Amino acid sequence: MRQLLLTWTRPAVSRPMTAVGVLFLLTIVIFAAASPWIAPYPPDLIDPVNRLQPPGPGHLLGTDHFGRDTFSRIVYGARLALLIGVGVVLFALATGVPIGVLSALFPALGVVLMRMVDVLMSFPSLLLALGLIVILGQGVFNAILAIGLIYLTTTARIVYGVALRLKAEPYVEAARSAGAGTWWIVTRHILPNMISPLLVQASFVFAFAQLGAASLDFLGLGAPPEIPSWGNMLAESRIYITRASWLLLWPGLMIVLTAFSLNLVGDALRDRMDPRFREMMRR
Amino acid sequence: MGRYVLRRTGAAIATLIAASIVIFAFIHLIPGDPVYVMLGDGATPEQVARLRNRLGLDEPLVFQYLIWAGSALQGDLGQSIFFETPVTQVIAEGAETSILLAVITMFWIVAFGVPVGILAAIRQGTWIDQGLSGLAMLLASVPTFWVGLYLILIFAAGLGWFPSSGFPSVFDDGGLYNLRYLILPSLALAAPNAALILRLTRASMLDVAREDYVRTARAKGIPPYRVVLRHILRNALLAVVSAFGFTFAALISEAVVTETVFALPGIGRTVVQSILRRDYPVIQGVILVIVCLYLIINLLVDLSYRFLDPRVELE
Amino acid sequence: MLNVDNLVVSLRNGPQILRGVSFGIEPGEILALVGESGSGKSMTSLALMGLLPPALAITGGTVSLGGTEITHLAPHQRVRRNCGKVAMVFQEPMTSLNPVLRIGEQIGEAVRVHDPDAVPADRAKELLDMVRIPDAAHQLSAYPHELSGGMRQRVMIAIALACRPQILIADEPTTALDVTVQRQVLGLIRDLCDRLGVGVLFITHDLGVVAQMAERVAVMYAGMLVERADVGPLFRAPLHPYTAGLMACLPDPESDDPLLATIPGAAPRAGAVPDGCPFAPRCVRAASRCRSGALPLVHGGEGHSARCHFPLTAAASA
């Protein structure tokens, strides 16, 4: 127990920034889990009399053009941020890991699959996502799929690289020549050794999913406008930037700090992992 | 050398063909009849039949693709439904803005990212390095449109130094002075990408500094600045140059958003508006042109490697 | 010529890696520095070069060359002050040359610094001839990856000679090479030492090579020199039990015993070196007084000395 505690607290002491990042992410989780209790108003309560109020005692962070409370919308926005992040990470891992592992194990299949990944990667990422939105239509779930498709490609590439190296490890070759089956090798040797690269990749994907979702929201092609997401809040406040510039600050800051914290965590995880794989995870 | 160029070009063309199939398939993946989707519910059967005929939707799929790809090769990307002009003309109208925006942005990225990355690497571990690296990670976590909105708020609306939106051509009144319209957009677009190049430059400088041949160079007694310039930097920049391909892709992605923020008449904004207008031929055409450009740039990056790194030929 | 006096190298705010090393090298002489990996041989050479990694520093003692102290000077500072020069051939020829520069440029770079009046290309060709690279004029424009390991190590020697050194350090220069190539490179170093009158510090863990190459030997263990002697006396009558142990590990051509002897235990890591004699935990002769306090310097004839309470040969105590 003491040992476990030490392995978790030691990095926090040596990297104060990362510790602050983790605390911020915890705050987001608490915001999302307890939004109705933390937010002073319902996120969609319209109050035309008090529209575009600057930050003050009644409305901690002011109100928007419908008189909705900014702080409450920020708190509820954490829900969508987490949903998008978790959704995109799960999608990217659930598709990228099998593609990468299968490609590494079966070279003939790998040529085809990795070639397809290359083709997808030749599309600029946001255009790929926009194209998918056109096909699927607008919506939170579709935004997750569209952004997830971008990170399917990078995840598959990384998993492919790591799996190829693991496959060439002497102990895997030994297991193979001792007659171990493919399933055994995948579950006993390849997947367990892939956990730390995948954790690093997951935190970066989570971070960039926030930026991608915010861009889609801003273009009016992400979450439907009635949903309080930070990206939507920015998109709506755009017209009022000279009259109510405070509307711009908080949602943007939440996006930046969420992505920044996740990048810090990803960096810290990467520095603690096997140096052989570190090089592949560089951005 | 000749074989290397040929092989890389062949691979790029193969990718382009595969990508063109994806782009072509796109219009058929849209649920419902694309003709009705494009024309809206109030379309007369006559209009529908005419558009269907113009898009060649009555032919078998393989034929449709070959016709589409064949005319694309001849520079015909079809007609815009909204503008009723050739797609190539729509693209040409946005090209000046987008190309100039990309060039100016690349300039900021190289002018800030590389030297500051070198500085951080040389001062590794000091507060200068920690500050710059932290700043780089922060910038990489910032949405470009948010930076853009703040630049507008401060430098356009507040100080009035630069215009906040639009871009008159440099061939119109004002000439090159019109480039001031692109200063704020290019800075917004450069911020996260310069941050990535900074981090990459720093990391590869530190990697190379640990190499045995750098120790050999030090042992020769040549001055430290020459060790940095000739031995560390030159090898470190190899990794940075290879990153320019994906930096370009990131630029195009984010230009879609930036052009919207600053209301620039570029290709990126055309894509977004075409999506909202369901003008599919324009979407297809623009994406095809962009993928093509991306592949060409990656190919050039690959080939320039040959001149920078003598080992490539062996691989 | 080269004089190393009581050299101490430590990790910054940490344990000592070298704990008072002293030796000298004369022109035209080869001194072999022998020891297991991790004993501090490579740290000694980097300290002499002024190329210690940033985490390490010289915290005591001096290095002087031709009477001038060069202890804390990096190579480029030595050039600027025009003092005597130490050059080095590294262990790994495959990674020690810059992959993107031509051989000629890499040699010429050193020529320009150390021989400002020479034409770099001419001098580089002369140096390649000197290290017996065939078709030298042509090879100047080759890239490192176009050369074999043995050829690259010759280029490394040419670069070292371009620095016009009084002392040449060769840090296990042949461990990465094939046996036949090994012999050629060793012969070349021996020959250059005789011809140019350069003093050589030859670092190796291979006692067999020592017998062919060196006049004198220093044996290193856990960051200190445990024995120094001429080659002959050392092989005939080692004083220190560790030296004797190393020799017992050499394969004996006259013995049929297929099992090689080993020294039990492992060398201590820096920072965990025991008090007293560092070899005591592995030594069959050790007694309680070996485990604390200073070690006596014992002599066994001209220039032969060791630090041991119980030397193998009855020797005159200092």
Side-chain angles (χ1 to χ4, degrees):
Chain A
M1 188 58 213
R2 209 181 95 88
Q3 191 56 44
L4 194 71
L5 213 65
L6 271 180
T7 50
W8 283 97
T9 49
R10 200 179 293 133
V13 176
S14 64
R15 286 175 176 254
M17 285 278 273
T18 311
V20 174
V22 171
L23 283 182
F24 180 81
L25 293 175
L26 281 178
T27 316
I28 300 285
V29 172
I30 294 169
F31 272 13
S35 345
W37 295 280
I38 295 172
Y41 301 91
D44 43 8
L45 181 75
I46 295 177
D47 181 3
V49 181
N50 286 315
R51 58 198 296 271
L52 298 177
Q53 290 288 310
H59 295 279
L60 199 57
L61 304 178
T63 59
D64 67 7
H65 56 292
F66 286 131
R68 294 175 298 194
D69 180 53
T70 304
F71 178 66
S72 302
R73 290 176 75 73
I74 293 271
V75 171
Y76 276 91
R79 291 187 162 184
L80 202 74
L82 284 191
L83 181 66
I84 294 269
V86 171
V88 168
V89 166
L90 286 182
F91 180 81
L93 292 185
T95 52
V97 172
I99 292 177
V101 170
L102 289 176
S103 300
L105 286 179
F106 307 106
L109 182 65
V111 170
V112 179
L113 287 181
M114 293 324 284
R115 198 75 218 158
M116 283 161 73
V117 167
D118 280 351
V119 171
L120 284 184
M121 282 184 116
S122 69
F123 292 91
S125 55
L126 195 60
L127 287 185
L128 190 64
L130 287 178
L132 212 61
I133 294 284
V134 171
I135 294 170
L136 300 171
Q138 201 181 342
V140 174
F141 183 69
N142 292 343
I144 291 175
L145 286 186
I147 300 169
L149 183 67
I150 302 171
Y151 295 104
L152 175 163
T153 57
T154 53
T155 308
R157 274 253 181 110
I158 287 168
V159 168
Y160 178 64
V162 173
L164 272 188
R165 270 202 209 183
L166 287 173
K167 192 183 154 195
E169 290 280 309
Y171 61 87
V172 177
E173 297 226 324
R176 206 183 254 281
S177 54
T182 303
W183 182 247
W184 174 270
I185 287 176
V186 169
T187 53
R188 288 298 161 116
H189 293 301
I190 295 193
L191 290 181
N193 281 302
M194 215 176 255
I195 287 173
S196 68
L198 285 181
L199 267 178
V200 176
Q201 168 73 357
S203 37
F204 288 141
V205 168
F206 207 121
F208 287 103
Q210 300 301 319
L211 302 181
S215 294
L216 287 184
D217 286 354
F218 184 78
L219 295 175
L221 294 165
E226 66 272 14
I227 290 183
S229 79
W230 299 331
N232 278 345
M233 293 172 73
L234 282 179
E236 289 159 8
S237 67
R238 190 185 153 199
I239 314 160
Y240 305 97
I241 55 172
T242 48
R243 275 165 66 197
S245 60
W246 62 88
L247 288 176
L248 201 58
L249 181 62
W250 295 103
L253 217 49
M254 293 304 279
I255 296 170
V256 170
L257 290 179
T258 308
F260 185 49
S261 302
L262 285 158
N263 275 328
L264 283 173
V265 170
D267 252 30
L269 288 173
R270 179 175 56 194
D271 289 349
R272 285 159 56 87
M273 71 192 249
D274 190 331
R276 283 174 308 162
F277 300 136
R278 217 176 283 155
E279 204 177 318
M280 297 185 194
M281 309 289 299
R282 191 156 280 154
R283 299 174 172 270
Chain B
M1 176 70 195
R3 266 184 50 203
Y4 179 74
V5 175
L6 224 61
R7 220 179 51 224
R8 299 318 295 233
T9 314
I13 290 175
T15 309
L16 179 63
I17 291 174
S20 73
I21 293 174
V22 173
I23 295 169
F24 170 77
F26 159 84
I27 203 164
H28 296 275
L29 288 170
I30 301 164
D33 189 329
V35 175
Y36 278 106
V37 178
M38 282 188 249
L39 291 178
D41 292 333
T44 63
E46 192 184 276
Q47 282 177 305
V48 171
R50 199 167 352 111
L51 182 57
R52 182 173 286 283
N53 187 22
R54 201 173 82 200
L55 295 176
L57 291 178
D58 295 323
E59 309 281 339
L61 274 183
V62 181
F63 268 130
Q64 285 185 40
Y65 171 73
L66 290 178
I67 291 167
W68 178 74
S71 29
L73 275 180
Q74 291 163 25
D76 175 11
L77 293 170
Q79 288 271 320
S80 159
I81 292 161
F82 182 83
F83 296 107
E84 304 203 310
T85 53
V87 171
T88 41
Q89 193 187 322
V90 177
I91 294 175
E93 280 164 11
E96 184 200 340
T97 309
S98 293
I99 291 173
L100 285 175
L101 179 64
V103 169
I104 300 175
T105 306
M106 265 332 240
F107 172 77
W108 296 133
I109 292 174
V110 175
F112 287 108
V114 174
V116 179
I118 295 172
L119 179 68
I122 293 175
R123 295 270 172 270
Q124 189 208 359
T126 65
W127 62 268
I128 296 179
D129 172 34
Q130 281 162 6
L132 290 175
S133 301
L135 181 73
M137 197 193 273
L138 189 65
L139 281 180
S141 313
V142 176
T144 45
F145 62 86
W146 194 58
V147 180
L149 290 173
Y150 263 103
L151 289 177
I152 292 177
L153 188 63
I154 297 169
F155 294 102
L159 298 168
W161 290 357
F162 298 101
S164 66
S165 63
F167 173 61
S169 163
V170 289
F171 304 109
D172 289 351
D173 283 352
L176 289 178
Y177 188 56
N178 286 340
L179 288 179
R180 72 187 190 282
Y181 283 86
L182 296 180
I183 301 290
L184 296 183
S186 60
L187 283 175
L189 193 48
N193 296 298
L196 291 180
I197 291 291
L198 188 165
R199 281 164 64 81
L200 186 68
T201 307
R202 174 184 179 275
S204 53
M205 289 273 293
L206 294 180
D207 276 355
V208 174
R210 278 191 291 270
E211 295 281 351
D212 286 347
Y213 58 77
V214 173
R215 190 178 55 185
T216 308
R218 291 218 171 85
K220 288 178 197 168
I222 57 180
Y225 77 90
R226 275 188 65 94
V227 175
V228 170
L229 288 181
R230 200 172 151 96
H231 293 272
I232 301 181
L233 186 60
R234 185 158 169 196
N235 285 283
L237 283 183
L238 283 176
V240 178
V241 167
S242 72
F244 281 155
F246 72 69
T247 304
F248 176 75
L251 270 190
I252 294 174
S253 277
E254 286 151 14
V256 170
V257 185
T258 311
E259 290 181 1
T260 306
V261 174
F262 289 90
L264 299 180
I267 298 175
R269 199 167 67 130
T270 308
V271 173
V272 176
Q273 287 176 339
S274 303
I275 289 173
L276 296 172
R277 290 170 187 146
R278 308 198 171 281
D279 194 346
Y280 297 123
V282 175
I283 305 176
Q284 278 183 311
V286 171
I287 295 185
L288 185 68
V289 168
I290 288 176
V291 168
C292 214
L293 257 180
Y294 172 69
L295 290 173
I296 290 174
I297 289 191
N298 257 338
L299 185 66
L300 290 180
V301 167
D302 263 10
L303 295 182
S304 69
Y305 233 74
R306 167 63 186 81
F307 296 99
L308 297 172
D309 187 345
R311 286 166 299 178
V312 164
E313 218 171 7
L314 285 183
E315 283 161 19
Chain C
M1 191 78 219
L2 177 76
N3 211 347
V4 180
D5 187 31
N6 206 21
L7 189 68
V8 179
V9 168
S10 326
L11 264 162
R12 293 206 189 275
N13 313 316
Q16 293 184 350
I17 307 292
L18 294 186
R19 304 180 301 144
V21 170
S22 306
F23 59 85
I25 301 177
E26 294 307 314
E29 174 191 60
I30 297 184
L31 170 70
L33 186 59
V34 185
E36 293 168 84
S37 42
S39 61
K41 295 169 297 178
S42 292
M43 281 310 140
T44 310
S45 57
L46 292 178
L48 299 190
M49 285 297 295
L51 282 179
L52 281 175
L56 295 169
I58 296 176
T59 49
T62 57
V63 179
S64 57
L65 186 54
T68 322
E69 191 185 325
I70 55 168
T71 318
H72 294 284
L73 300 180
H76 70 277
Q77 292 165 321
R78 294 178 188 178
V79 170
R80 214 164 45 205
R81 299 192 189 186
N82 207 15
C83 41
K85 291 157 195 166
V86 184
M88 182 158 174
V89 177
F90 295 95
Q91 183 171 358
E92 192 40 80
M94 306 312 269
T95 56
S96 293
L97 289 167
N98 190 330
V100 304
L101 295 180
R102 294 171 197 279
I103 301 299
E105 295 174 277
Q106 301 196 47
I107 302 175
E109 196 172 48
V111 173
R112 226 163 275 136
V113 174
H114 297 274
D115 257 333
D117 302 330
V119 179
D122 296 350
R123 173 76 180 139
K125 184 189 167 299
E126 191 183 313
L127 286 162
L128 285 188
D129 284 334
M130 208 185 280
V131 295
R132 296 184 211 135
I133 286 185
D135 194 13
H138 182 69
Q139 300 295 355
L140 285 176
S141 57
Y143 286 102
H145 67 83
E146 296 164 348
L147 302 180
S148 67
M151 282 300 151
R152 288 193 215 185
Q153 199 59 301
R154 286 165 197 262
V155 172
M156 287 299 294
I157 296 173
I159 289 177
L161 293 179
C163 299
R164 296 211 177 268
Q166 282 83 43
I167 296 292
L168 177 70
I169 303 175
D171 185 0
E172 310 221 15
T174 58
T175 19
L177 304 178
D178 292 342
V179 188
T180 46
V181 182
Q182 243 178 44
R183 199 167 306 145
Q184 294 167 1
V185 171
L186 291 178
L188 177 66
I189 293 176
R190 175 77 258 183
D191 184 48
L192 289 170
C193 167
D194 295 341
R195 218 147 39 100
L196 304 173
V198 181
V200 175
L201 178 64
F202 188 86
I203 296 179
T204 182
H205 60 266
D206 185 349
L207 277 177
V209 173
V210 170
Q212 305 165 27
M213 290 287 290
E215 279 96 28
R216 292 195 300 127
V217 188
V219 180
M220 190 165 235
Y221 187 81
M224 60 187 276
L225 291 185
V226 292
E227 181 158 5
R228 287 191 293 173
D230 289 348
V231 168
L234 186 89
F235 278 83
R236 272 196 306 279
L239 288 176
H240 200 282
Y242 176 64
T243 315
L246 278 183
M247 284 176 192
C249 298
L250 279 177
D252 181 354
E254 272 138 56
S255 153
D256 313 324
D257 186 358
L259 287 176
L260 288 176
T262 55
I263 306 175
R269 285 183 308 138
V273 180
D275 206 24
C277 175
F279 187 61
R282 301 169 75 185
C283 181
V284 285
R285 302 167 72 89
S288 61
R289 63 170 154 154
C290 295
R291 300 186 211 283
S292 63
L295 294 166
L297 189 66
V298 293
H299 289 278
E302 182 67 33
H304 191 176
S305 61
R307 292 208 174 265
C308 186
H309 285 290
F310 303 106
L312 290 164
T313 327
S317 199

